[in-house]
Amino acid sequence: MTTQTAPVEAGSPAPTAAVIPAVYGASERPPRGDYDRSGQVKADYTCPQNYAAYTDADHDTYRRLYKRQSALLPGLACDEFIAALPSLGLEERIPRFDDINGRLFKATGWEVVAVPGLIPEVPFFTLLANRKFPVTDWIRTPAEFDYIVEPDIFHDMFGHVPLLFDPVFADHMQAYGAGGLKAHGLGACEQLSRLYWYTIEFGLMRQRGQVRAYGAGILSSSGELAYAVTSGEPQRIALDLLRAMRTRYKIDSYQQTYFVIDSFKQLFDMTAPDFTPLYAQLKTMEELSANAVSPGDVVIHTGN
């Protein structure tokens, strides 16, 4: 059964043109996305999905991305993701958010909301805490078919949304949002963002003695999916919260370290306690590089 907690107070934000886009990494160019839209973007960064603005080329890009990525999943993606993927509906065109929400809300009480691009921490955490997942509504160009720096609608929709149909993972995402708001107040967002990166974006899971992917950044990448699960290059270690939150990461290359869980129930239980003592402990600990080897690491083999 899905656990429903009281919503975080967010009010009913009115449209505004004063929203400020989030900056993704070190970049001299402004973040992509139309953050004005003649006042349609609200104070919480949500906006209407302008479905009529998608061109035939946009729909074709989505169709080709979906076809290529779904063909790669068997033997590499976790069972829960493969089972939930058909819930997205149409494969030939960019989905309408309203159609997705009709199925998603019935399944776990979640809904997807459109945003113009990357958004700051507090609005992001607040949306998650209220079981609303922000999906970037623009899609990459054909020239970016194989790689894109910032998340677009394909990454968000294909990579993240299917697992929101899984009750345990859905509860974990809400708890992460609530925890993120607390981390912001404690000045610990950097540490918590690393946990998000190494689990929700680039997490691996053991199933039947083998490693499978559940992180959205892996599942939506044609190259990193096989690399993360079967390559002999990266290190794969059992998830330890302090280890993950001490470990820096790179946004412009395949991961050098992946953290592995045994189930979503394990992930939910590990992250359910109050992190305040962990944040205090982390302040006394040295940060680790993305490829660091720690004496306490429990090494996981792929089994392939």
Side-chain angles (χ1 to χ4, degrees):
M1 178 178 292
T2 299
T3 301
Q4 297 280 2
T5 62
V8 175
E9 292 296 330
S12 299
T16 176
V19 294
I20 301 172
V23 176
Y24 189 62
S27 176
E28 296 181 356
R29 66 171 176 81
R32 291 168 64 170
D34 183 357
Y35 289 81
D36 182 2
R37 300 192 186 184
S38 301
Q40 288 189 327
V41 180
K42 299 178 183 179
D44 65 354
Y45 287 82
T46 62
C47 58
Q49 182 191 22
N50 186 3
Y51 198 82
Y54 298 128
T55 65
D56 289 342
D58 290 336
H59 289 297
D60 184 62
T61 296
Y62 182 88
R63 178 191 63 79
R64 292 189 295 120
L65 285 166
Y66 192 111
K67 181 178 180 180
R68 179 179 70 173
Q69 204 63 24
S70 59
L72 298 175
L73 298 177
L76 299 177
C78 69
D79 295 342
E80 292 86 346
F81 184 85
I82 292 177
L85 186 60
S87 299
L88 289 185
L90 291 176
E91 305 174 14
E92 296 82 11
R93 300 178 67 80
I94 296 171
R96 293 181 184 270
F97 291 2
D98 288 344
D99 292 342
I100 295 287
N101 288 336
R103 298 184 291 274
L104 182 57
F105 192 82
K106 289 180 181 178
T108 59
W110 274 79
E111 59 182 308
V112 296
V113 292
V115 292
L118 289 159
I119 65 177
E121 292 166 344
V122 171
F124 178 70
F125 293 144
T126 301
L127 288 171
L128 294 186
N130 285 283
R131 300 180 90 88
K132 299 178 188 291
F133 191 85
V135 174
T136 303
D137 64 350
W138 55 264
I139 192 164
R140 69 193 71 184
T141 66
E144 300 167 308
F145 190 81
D146 291 322
Y147 176 76
I148 189 169
V149 176
E150 293 162 309
D152 67 343
I153 191 172
F154 178 76
H155 166 82
D156 284 342
M157 185 63 67
F158 186 96
H160 284 287
V161 174
L163 285 179
L164 293 176
F165 284 87
D166 181 272
V168 179
F169 189 83
D171 286 348
H172 168 69
M173 288 294 290
Q174 181 183 26
Y176 181 89
L181 291 171
K182 188 168 186 177
H184 180 80
L186 295 172
C189 283
E190 174 62 27
Q191 288 75 21
L192 196 64
S193 71
R194 292 171 183 169
L195 184 62
Y196 186 96
W197 185 266
Y198 282 119
T199 57
I200 295 168
E201 287 289 357
F202 290 95
L204 297 176
M205 177 189 296
R206 282 192 286 195
Q207 290 186 326
R208 297 181 299 280
Q210 296 183 324
V211 171
R212 297 290 180 261
Y214 72 89
I218 305 174
L219 292 166
S220 61
S221 168
S222 62
E224 190 153 5
L225 181 56
Y227 171 85
V229 175
T230 65
S231 171
E233 295 182 28
Q235 60 175 341
R236 304 171 185 86
I237 60 178
L239 177 63
D240 175 272
L241 296 184
L242 283 173
R243 171 69 161 89
M245 289 192 285
R246 293 172 61 199
T247 307
R248 296 187 295 272
Y249 58 85
K250 295 183 178 181
I251 67 172
D252 56 358
S253 64
Y254 292 168
Q255 304 309 298
Q256 296 169 293
T257 298
Y258 296 95
F259 291 90
V260 185
I261 62 173
D262 291 323
S263 68
F264 292 142
K265 179 65 164 55
Q266 180 201 29
L267 179 63
F268 180 82
D269 290 344
M270 287 179 70
T271 55
D274 182 3
F275 277 18
T276 303
L278 290 183
Y279 297 144
Q281 189 174 352
L282 284 165
K283 290 181 179 180
T284 68
M285 302 176 75
E286 182 181 358
E287 292 188 342
L288 300 174
S289 65
N291 64 343
V293 176
S294 176
D297 290 345
V298 178
V299 178
I300 305 296
H301 297 286
T302 64
N304 291 332

